[in-house]
Amino acid sequence: MRAIEHLLHPEMEKAMDAWLASRGHSWQQLDRGELEVGGVALTPIYLQLLLIHSDPVYFAETYFIERDGPHAGEPWRFFDYQKPSMRYRGDTLHECGAEVGKTREIVALAVWMLLGYGPKSRGEMLIGAAQDGHLDSLWDQMLAQLRETPQLEKAID
């Protein structure tokens, strides 16, 4: 592996290394500007953004900020058991106890897909809940993350 001057996510160097290796590419090729994606030269920052936008865990942990509590102002972090659930591409039904991360998963996936990064077209998503109050809290969280993150706010204009 190679150290990068500016990592956008703590796991990004490992993800970049895996992406390059899976395609038979090297860090040297990336550094020399020899790699392209869709006719666009691939730089370390561009590759990071590609990986972040293609993975809902990296996406939320890069862009979303804790709004309150002892970690206010810090990036979101998911529990280890949430990451496979976040990366699952099928339909999901959450039937969990309190404080296990349901809202966080739903908000992250909804915003990720709303902005067009998910596997479905924008707008092809349904979120249901037993009570309107549950949906209100999801909506409030989604709006807060979109409004308070300049990169995401620009994406919805």
Side-chain angles (χ1 to χ4, degrees), residues 66-108:
E66 296 287 349
R67 296 176 60 214
D68 51 26
H71 300 287
E74 295 178 15
W76 272 22
R77 291 294 174 248
F78 290 99
F79 298 120
D80 287 339
Y81 64 81
Q82 287 178 286
K83 293 177 182 183
S85 174
M86 290 283 300
R87 291 174 172 138
Y88 176 68
R89 291 293 142 256
D91 294 333
T92 304
L93 176 64
H94 286 276
E95 294 182 288
C96 310
E99 302 298 319
V100 296
K102 297 179 298 293
T103 299
R104 187 165 287 222
E105 280 190 42
I106 294 166
V107 166

